[in-house]
Amino acid sequence: MTVVVVGGGLAGARTVEHLRGGGYEGRLVLLAQEPELPYERPPLSKGYLQGQEPREHSRVHDESWYAAHDVELRLGVTAAELDLGARDVVDATGARHGFEHLVLATGSQPRPLDVPGAALDGVVTLRTLDDSDRLRAAIDRARRVVVVGGGWIGLEVAAAARTAGREVAVVVRGALPLDRVLGPETAPLFADMHREHGVDLRLRADVAEVVPDGSGSRAGGVVLADGTLLEADLVVAAVGAAPRTALAERAGLAVQDGVVVDQHLRSSVPHVLAVGDVARAHHPFYGTHLRVEHWDNAQHQPATAAATILGRDEPYTRLPYFYTDQHDLGMEYVGWTGHDGRGYDDVVVRGDVGAREVVVLWLRAGRVVAGMNVNVWDVNDDIRALVERRVTVDRAALADASVPLGELGR
Ligand SMILES: Cc1cc2nc3c(=O)[nH]c(=O)nc-3n(C[C@H](O)[C@H](O)[C@H](O)COP(=O)(O)OP(=O)(O)OC[C@H]3O[C@@H](n4cnc5c(N)ncnc54)[C@H](O)[C@@H]3O)c2cc1C
């Protein structure tokens, strides 16, 4: 019996861990394109980018763990094709890796900035440890930084660059950064915080072109669709990520913005599973397929994949969760407000938005569907339980910070 896992990120590393932890005694091969031991990415835009955390801290396990658990870790090996008929993964050297079960954990990759000039030196994206090293060095050298995209990674990079004392502008397509995720009621919390830290937010703005500096080969600024020139010696393209589905597509697996899998994480070919950023999994709680591009999902889905391979019936039911750290603001979010982020009809705030110590709850028909805690700790499990219970909750009690969230909706 052999299980091959393709992708040495968090989801791949946790998959081999849960297989061994669950009693799997067969061969276990982990193919990892990057030369690094599997690592977690959140520090790459936070503590590691700011030079506060050593490289090793981001590792899922140290090197000896893989040998001790009899995992054949193949660093620097890229899976090039899946031969599903022969049950082989063919790597880029042509070598074949046979399997009874295959787990795709290929993650996602930055979407490219699709404008003229995007290939100039000084235009960068952030996904890997090497990217983070390069970005840190570029921030050190830069005077003015333009971040294209006001999502989580863009804002975290903006915070790091401001902390390093650089001039920073963030170009945001929408009315406010994060407004698609947080809605217009709550998005100002982040926008205000970044403005207070001196970020120049360019709203409802699109980048039309990256223009060179005097050298002709390096970025000197970006031109917005309205003709405004923002000078910059560093341009960070943070315009979202795309799932790495090419292998799955070529092999004929069902793919729709992610490898489509059931609640047991089985793809359209049942002995091929997918986990983490690349998986679009059926979520029993929501009755639809979700692709969740967050750490928590890559951390927890592997237990379900391992259970499926080991013949246990343990569907993945965990609610989507993510977190961010920007300047002195720490935030956790649990739940889901629909594919378009508009699946709520009421927002309840408990605490002080101005002081940025606040819990925000999104409701639909009187039930909590999502919640976010900002600089308020040890409440996220209570919010999760409120969402999971799906009961209507007294609005006044919900807004009253003196009533513990854990006592509501029982
Ligand atoms: C800079 C940054 C900051 C983040 N911060 C947060 C945060 O604060 N909070 C949060 O919730 N989430 C955060 N995330 C998201 C989180 O890191 C991802 O959800 C998580 O990394 C997904 O893990 P994964 O294992 O599915 O994919 P990945 O981490 O992308 O790993 C996939 C691995 O597979 C490899 N691979 C791909 N194709 C092949 C192939 N053909 N052969 C072999 N190997 C292959 C890739 O090289 C990669 O190493 C952040 C992401 C980034 C990039």
Side-chain angles (χ1 to χ4, degrees), residues 5-13 31-34 39-46 77-80 105-109 126-128 152-153 156-157 244 247 275-279 292-299 321-325:
V5 178
V6 177
L10 176 61
L31 304 181
Q33 183 172 42
E34 293 182 60
Y39 60 90
E40 305 191 6
R41 298 181 197 273
L44 310 190
S45 51
K46 308 179 187 68
V77 174
T78 303
T106 49
S108 51
Q109 62 193 0
L126 175 57
R127 183 77 199 172
T128 65
W152 301 111
I153 292 178
E156 288 171 3
V157 170
R244 296 183 67 172
L247 276 179
V275 289
D277 277 17
V278 78
V292 179
E293 265 181 13
H294 296 302
W295 175 90
D296 185 78
N297 184 69
Q299 170 81 353
Y321 164 98
F322 61 90
Y323 67 94
T324 184
D325 293 307

Side-chain angles (χ1 to χ4, degrees), residues 313-336:
D313 178 15
E314 293 175 16
Y316 188 73
T317 58
R318 192 173 163 83
L319 299 183
Y321 164 98
F322 61 90
Y323 67 94
T324 184
D325 293 307
Q326 301 171 26
H327 294 296
D328 52 1
L329 183 154
M331 178 276 244
E332 299 175 284
Y333 179 108
V334 65
W336 189 59

Side-chain angles (χ1 to χ4, degrees), residues 324-408:
T324 184
D325 293 307
Q326 301 171 26
H327 294 296
D328 52 1
L329 183 154
M331 178 276 244
E332 299 175 284
Y333 179 108
V334 65
W336 189 59
T337 54
H339 291 294
D340 61 359
R342 293 290 172 267
Y344 65 93
D345 53 28
D346 193 9
V347 181
V348 172
V349 174
R350 52 159 52 205
D352 187 345
V353 178
R356 297 195 190 105
E357 279 188 19
V358 67
V359 174
V360 179
L361 300 147
W362 287 266
L363 284 77
R364 185 182 180 96
R367 295 174 172 83
V368 178
V369 293
M372 155 175 110
N373 45 299
V374 175
N375 288 349
V376 177
W377 303 109
D378 302 324
V379 293
N380 200 264
D381 287 346
D382 292 334
I383 300 173
R384 180 187 295 275
L386 271 176
V387 177
E388 285 174 340
R389 283 203 291 275
R390 278 190 169 132
V391 291
T392 52
V393 195
D394 177 52
R395 195 183 189 285
L398 210 50
D400 182 349
S402 70
V403 181
L405 282 170
E407 288 179 8
L408 295 171

Side-chain angles (χ1 to χ4, degrees), residues 45-245:
S45 51
K46 308 179 187 68
Y48 183 75
L49 179 62
Q50 297 189 28
Q52 295 161 355
E53 288 172 28
R55 205 171 175 90
E56 309 76 66
H57 274 197
S58 56
R59 287 185 185 150
V60 184
H61 298 294
D62 61 23
E63 191 164 8
S64 62
W65 185 91
Y66 297 91
H69 291 82
D70 205 9
V71 174
E72 297 173 36
L73 175 60
R74 308 279 171 81
L75 297 181
V77 174
T78 303
E81 295 299 333
L82 309 179
D83 181 345
L84 295 184
R87 294 205 184 193
D88 280 342
V89 177
V90 186
D91 73 28
T93 69
R96 289 183 166 258
H97 307 266
F99 61 82
E100 274 74 47
H101 283 94
L102 169 66
V103 182
L104 296 174
T106 49
S108 51
Q109 62 193 0
R111 291 184 194 277
L113 183 60
D114 190 15
V115 297
L120 288 166
D121 286 346
V123 182
V124 301
T125 55
L126 175 57
R127 183 77 199 172
T128 65
L129 269 169
D130 285 350
D131 292 341
S132 185
D133 291 339
R134 276 191 292 268
L135 179 57
R136 192 195 319 173
I139 289 174
D140 283 348
R141 287 192 306 266
R143 222 158 50 84
R144 295 200 191 93
V145 181
V146 167
V147 178
V148 186
W152 301 111
I153 292 178
L155 293 180
E156 288 171 3
V157 170
R162 280 302 299 147
T163 302
R166 306 298 168 253
E167 284 179 35
V168 178
V170 180
V171 180
V172 181
R173 199 169 253 174
L176 282 176
L178 308 173
D179 63 348
R180 267 186 65 94
V181 193
L182 301 179
E185 306 84 358
T186 313
L189 190 152
F190 281 85
D192 292 347
M193 192 256 308
H194 282 280
R195 282 198 187 103
E196 282 168 29
H197 281 90
V199 168
D200 175 11
L201 289 181
R202 297 299 175 117
L203 307 176
R204 296 186 194 283
D206 245 323
V207 170
E209 189 179 359
V210 182
V211 289
D213 65 6
S215 74
S217 60
R218 284 199 56 84
V222 303
V223 177
L224 304 182
D226 68 2
T228 308
L229 170 68
L230 300 177
E231 286 183 25
D233 35 18
L234 173 62
V235 178
V236 183
V239 293
R244 296 183 67 172
T245 53

